[in-house]
Amino acid sequence: GIKKEAEVFAEVVQHDVSKSLVHVFLSQRLTSKIRGVTDSGLRPRPMKCVAIIGGGLMGSGIATACVLNGIDVVLKEVNQKFLEGGMQRVAANLMSSVKKGRMTKEKYEQCMSRLKGTITYEGFDRADMVIEAALEDIGLKQKIFAELEQVCRKDCILSTNTSTIDINVVGAKTNAINRIIGNHFFSPAHIMKLLEIIKTDSTDKQVILDTIAFGKAIKKVPVVVGNCTGFAVNRVFFPYTMAACLLVDLGVDPYRIDKVIKAFGMPMGPLRLADLVGIEVGVHVGGQFVQNFSDRTYASELMHRMRDGDRLGEKNKKGFYNYDAKRRATPAGRDVEAILAASGAALDAKAANTAAQLRQIKQKVRSFSDKDIVDFIMLPVVNESSRVVAEGIVDKASDLDIASVLSMGFPPYRGGPIKMADLRGAASVRDRLASFAAMFTPVGLGGFFEPCDYLQSCARAGVTLADGRSALGTQMARL
């Protein structure tokens, strides 16, 4: 019995699934070790009181996470009605745990006693950290941060929960850029484990260290990333939805795409995810990436036409899927046929000068196997992940892998985008992407798939994407 167990263990430990799961286990424990910060000899300061601006779904979720873990919260809203709504959302989050038997009524009362509400900046002088969770409006955020500089202590950390706006832009109208940082939570904030911490070139080491400690104190996995469009997670996954839209525009059944990607191991396919996030959000965020990464994006009209057709996703119970009162999804089918056809026709019009080549591409794509669809959607994610590693946006490749697992639900048994690619081999990933690029170059879309310099360099050198930055050495300066 024991001998047989040892034999089987020796066999399974060599499997890719085993390697991936061990990688995820270790990666989660390494995120709080940041070179030049956690080894600098500094000690983190405790965050005893956190002020939160905005009591919407995100702000109330952050407040819930704080009070659950013994941190006092000052919640600010613009008027009494909104404030009451925010306080009620925190109470509802906590009461949900009481009803499920996960929390006593006494613990509920203790948590609520830590929450104070205000429609002014009263109490902000007590705050060790402020988390701004207002609307994604640059002018509004700049105004808020200018005010925070005046009302908060000089050692108070000023943070934003923005998911799209450059942190330097948020703090542009202050003289406190050294203590401004990004605290990007994922919704629902009191449940999702990842805290993406965005530092700038000016962020003080003490501020980074304190924010890491804060993340751990509220039972999050803190991942420190650099400041760029989309930061780390949203940036590497922008091709996820764009590739799916391209397939739809080429005539592939959207529900087959979602089914295949779910079978790959994602919690849901890209189109179902678009419904969950909200079609309007997808249009806004997608536009940011098209603007900043025009050389490698696909600007489909699909999301715009869904929005214009009042198919907003779960928000109004109709998107690519229709939703009942319990949020159960059923394919919208005929309800979106005209929208899908119009978006496909828009691609045809853009490629009017290469119509023959586009017809050939459509024939090939419509005969894609499930594996082809997975490669088409997931390998551009790997490609962008490679860029993020090459640019030093993450301290180490494993940080990006665990962030992808904890935020997007990337299947742990595949290890994350970089680990998955390394198990497959950089050369194999490069060649597959190059084949897609060659297929789409005649219609001007080859850039979406073109293997990045870092991926190509790792493939040529025979090194992993995870180790490429150190293994390539001086070559990195030329990438």
Side-chain angles (χ1 to χ4, degrees), residues 361-380:
I361 290 172
K362 287 183 177 181
Q363 289 175 352
K364 291 179 182 178
V365 167
R366 287 170 181 169
S367 64
F368 269 5
S369 66
D370 288 356
K371 186 178 183 304
D372 291 330
I373 290 176
V374 168
D375 282 352
F376 194 94
I377 289 176
M378 301 310 303
L379 293 191

Side-chain angles (χ1 to χ4, degrees), residues 255 272 275 311 319-324 327-333:
Y255 307 108
R272 175 67 181 84
D275 275 2
R311 310 280 315 179
F320 290 101
Y321 296 80
N322 293 324
Y323 299 88
D324 63 18
R327 293 178 57 206
R328 287 177 297 208
T330 54

Side-chain angles (χ1 to χ4, degrees), residues 197-210:
I197 299 171
I198 304 97
K199 64 182 179 66
T200 71
D201 292 339
S202 303
T203 309
D204 190 83
K205 290 181 181 179
Q206 184 70 58
V207 170
I208 300 171
L209 189 66
D210 293 346

Side-chain angles (χ1 to χ4, degrees), residues 278-355:
I279 301 298
E280 292 169 305
V281 173
V283 170
H284 171 72
V285 175
Q288 294 279 324
F289 289 114
V290 170
Q291 180 180 343
N292 287 279
F293 303 130
S294 59
D295 61 319
R296 57 183 188 272
T297 49
Y298 172 60
S300 173
E301 292 191 11
L302 183 56
M303 294 298 173
H304 293 79
R305 290 179 180 274
M306 290 288 287
R307 178 200 60 192
D308 295 345
D310 198 35
R311 310 280 315 179
L312 305 181
E314 286 193 24
K315 177 180 179 179
N316 68 345
K317 297 184 179 180
K318 54 182 184 178
F320 290 101
Y321 296 80
N322 293 324
Y323 299 88
D324 63 18
K326 295 184 178 180
R327 293 178 57 206
R328 287 177 297 208
T330 54
R334 291 183 178 179
D335 292 345
V336 294
E337 273 184 2
I339 293 175
L340 303 187
S343 186
L347 172 59
D348 292 344
K350 291 176 185 176
N353 294 331
T354 53

Side-chain angles (χ1 to χ4, degrees), residues 391-432:
E391 294 170 20
I393 299 299
V394 288
D395 182 62
K396 45 197 172 293
S398 61
D399 288 349
L400 182 57
D401 281 338
I402 192 62
S404 299
V405 169
L406 295 177
S407 61
M408 298 297 294
F410 197 96
Y413 57 84
R414 298 189 186 276
I418 296 295
K419 185 65 175 180
M420 179 183 71
D422 283 342
L423 289 170
R424 179 169 177 168
S428 173
V429 174
R430 174 202 61 192
D431 293 346
R432 186 61 164 143

